[in-house]
């Protein structure tokens, strides 16, 4: 049996688990008390709407980081989904455009997953290379010019509101709930933790490590594409420059939320 934790160790563990929530609450109260414009409904709604895409990407990034990796291509993947989705929406309609954007995100994720899981490329090298290639292809194919002509009705997805929250926030909450269930309540989620904790022991137990890693990065690609679709809905256009540096913000969000870059630790709630 393990030895009981000392009071100092218990305090450190509590701070690790709940410290960021306390800091967030204190910062929120401070801003609300000192800045009247911050606590307005319009501002809080705008904050939720503008950060929904980062939240969606961070949810999927949690899987990658817990598994012992990360993905630097999510910004490029979101931009690709935005451009592809806008182009198809203009030419073939909204349903086809959404499907095309999701497919583009899946392809980027599967390429990353194959390079990392099967080719043995380091996640930093693989995803940075993918990001550079994808972003470059977007600029070349579009001449760095946005695609305009997306129906204004599509902006309801990115700028619209249902009840008290923006539609983008509802999508973020839906993604967060689904991925929280997958991470904490399914065999796949337990495999992700196991791989991040000790990949050698996990493989020896018969866990399909390569397949799980492939699926993790495919999941990241899908969520990046969802973010790109929302960005298209916010601008009514496909933007080659969309989601610049979103990958760094998403990784920061996951790490600040208690995950470890070494893998094996983290929660969706964090």
């Amino acid at each position: 049996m393990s030895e009981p934790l000392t009071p100092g160790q218990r305090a450190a563990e509590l701070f690790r688990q709940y410290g960021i929530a306390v800091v967030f609450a204190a910062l929120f109260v401070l801003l609300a008390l000192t800045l009247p414009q911050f606590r307005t409904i319009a501002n809080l709604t705008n904050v939720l709407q503008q950060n929904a895409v980062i939240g969606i990407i961070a949810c999927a990034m949690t899987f990658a980081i817990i598994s012992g990796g990360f993905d630097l291509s999510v910004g490029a993947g979101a931009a690709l989904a935005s451009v592809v989705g806008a182009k198809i929406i203009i030419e073939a309609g909204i349903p086809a455009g959404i499907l095309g954007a999701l497919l583009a995100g899946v392809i980027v994720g599967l390429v990353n997953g194959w390079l990392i899981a099967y080719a043995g490329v380091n996640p930093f090298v693989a995803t940075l290379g993918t990001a550079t290639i994808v972003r470059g292809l977007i600029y070349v194919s579009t001449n760095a010019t946005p695609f305009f002509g997306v129906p204004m009705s599509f902006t309801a997805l990115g700028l619209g509101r249902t009840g008290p929250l923006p539609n983008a926030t509802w999508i973020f909450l839906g993604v967060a709930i689904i991925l929280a269930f997958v991470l904490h309540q399914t065999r796949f989620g337990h495999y992700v933790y196991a791989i991040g904790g000790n990949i050698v022991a996990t493989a020896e137990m018969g866990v399909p490590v390569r397949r799980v890693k492939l699926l993790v990065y495919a999941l990241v690609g899908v969520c990046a594409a969802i973010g790109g679709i929302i960005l298209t809905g916010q601008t009514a256009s496909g933007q080659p420059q969309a989601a610049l540096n979103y990958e760094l913000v998403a990784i920061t969000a996951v790490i600040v939320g208690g995950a470890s870059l070494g893998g094996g630790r983290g929660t969706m709630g964090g």
Side-chain angles (χ1 to χ4, degrees):
M1 295 179 62
S2 60
E3 295 182 2
L5 298 177
T6 65
Q9 290 173 326
R10 283 197 295 270
E13 180 64 18
L14 287 173
F15 181 79
R16 186 185 70 79
Q17 292 183 358
Y18 305 109
I20 189 62
V22 174
V23 171
F24 171 77
L27 180 62
F28 184 89
V29 171
L30 177 64
L31 292 174
L33 291 176
T34 58
L35 298 174
Q37 63 271 30
F38 174 81
R39 60 177 179 261
T40 62
I41 297 298
N43 179 67
L44 294 177
T45 300
N46 182 61
V47 170
L48 290 173
Q49 179 176 283
Q50 294 302 317
N51 286 279
V53 173
I54 293 293
I56 290 169
I57 294 174
C59 285
M61 190 70 74
T62 301
F63 281 77
I65 290 179
I66 290 176
S67 71
F70 50 83
D71 191 339
L72 296 176
S73 71
V74 288
L80 178 66
S82 175
V83 170
V84 170
K87 179 70 172 176
I88 298 177
I89 286 172
I90 294 169
E91 296 181 354
I94 291 176
I98 292 176
L99 183 61
L102 292 174
L103 182 59
V106 169
I107 291 172
V108 173
L110 289 174
V111 169
N112 284 329
W114 184 86
L115 289 172
I116 294 167
Y118 289 91
V121 181
N122 181 278
F124 178 86
V125 176
T127 59
L128 180 61
T130 303
T132 303
I133 293 171
V134 169
R135 188 75 73 169
L137 289 174
I138 294 171
Y139 287 150
V140 170
S141 62
T142 63
N143 198 26
T145 303
F147 282 129
F148 293 104
V150 175
M152 292 305 297
S153 60
F154 193 67
T155 59
L157 181 70
L159 300 176
R161 192 172 179 178
T162 302
L165 298 176
N167 291 336
T169 303
W170 285 117
I171 296 172
F172 163 51
L173 291 175
V175 169
I177 291 170
I178 292 171
L179 294 190
F181 176 82
V182 172
L183 181 62
H184 300 296
Q185 302 296 328
T186 69
R187 181 180 299 178
F188 176 75
H190 296 159
Y191 286 169
V192 171
Y193 277 105
I195 290 170
N198 191 324
I199 189 171
V200 176
T202 303
E204 291 178 349
M205 288 189 297
V207 173
V209 171
R210 290 180 173 179
R211 190 187 312 160
V212 171
K213 280 193 172 187
L214 182 69
L215 292 176
V216 164
Y217 285 94
L219 175 64
V220 176
V222 169
C223 286
I226 294 173
I229 293 169
I230 293 174
L231 291 174
T232 301
Q234 291 177 345
T235 61
S237 62
Q239 297 285 340
Q241 297 86 4
L244 283 172
N245 298 321
Y246 274 32
E247 58 275 359
L248 301 180
V249 182
I251 292 172
T252 301
V254 178
I255 300 303
V256 170
S260 170
L261 272 177
R265 194 178 74 204
T267 63
M268 195 60 65

